[in-house]
Amino acid sequence: MTQYREIDSTEQWDAALEGSKDRALVVFKHSTTCPVSANAHREFTAYLDANPRQDTDYVLVKVIESRPVSNKIAEDTSVKHESPQIIFIQNQEKVWSATHWAITSEHITAVLD
């Protein structure tokens, strides 16, 4: 199983975004109080449990607990904040994003693989 790492500081976000020059990056923005986000989190982890793309780093941001990080991601990627939200980044640019019920293991697989 591929693991994601949680980021909770803007410095960690800056490093992850910089790293997207060398390795693709998937950011999952998660609300720990939202049932729709809980479902999207299950779908995200189902993707990671299956056969995820290996040349990619996966990070999770808890949007309530780490609001400054979430806001900076929105600013840096020009993707309006929503949660749950998934953003695929390569070379510091957003390639794809989805929110809410569009976040499924099948959808992630179709885009990333």
Side-chain angles (χ1 to χ4, degrees):
M1 176 178 126
T2 298
Q3 295 287 320
Y4 61 79
R5 65 185 169 89
E6 182 178 347
I7 59 174
D8 58 9
S9 74
T10 55
E11 293 79 15
Q12 289 172 321
W13 162 246
D14 289 340
L17 184 60
E18 179 70 21
S20 75
K21 290 178 180 178
D22 300 316
R23 284 178 58 86
L25 176 66
V26 172
V27 179
F28 181 73
K29 293 172 85 174
H30 178 49
S31 172
T32 55
T33 62
C34 172
V36 175
S37 195
N39 182 73
H41 185 265
R42 281 190 296 277
E43 293 288 331
F44 178 56
T45 56
Y47 170 77
L48 295 177
D49 286 344
N51 189 22
R53 186 173 162 159
Q54 294 299 307
D55 65 342
T56 303
D57 291 327
Y58 300 90
V59 298
L60 176 132
V61 176
K62 294 179 180 171
V63 297
I64 295 169
E65 295 85 346
S66 301
R67 179 66 64 189
V69 179
S70 179
N71 290 341
K72 189 151 185 355
I73 292 168
E75 178 183 319
D76 290 348
T77 61
S78 299
V79 176
K80 178 181 173 262
H81 166 76
E82 296 186 62
S83 66
Q85 183 173 58
I86 192 165
I87 307 169
F88 178 50
I89 299 168
Q90 288 183 304
N91 298 314
Q92 297 185 305
E93 298 288 330
K94 179 209 68 144
V95 176
W96 167 77
S97 66
T99 65
H100 297 86
W101 296 107
I103 301 172
T104 65
S105 177
E106 293 81 11
H107 193 180
I108 298 167
T109 299
V111 170
L112 297 184
D113 301 336

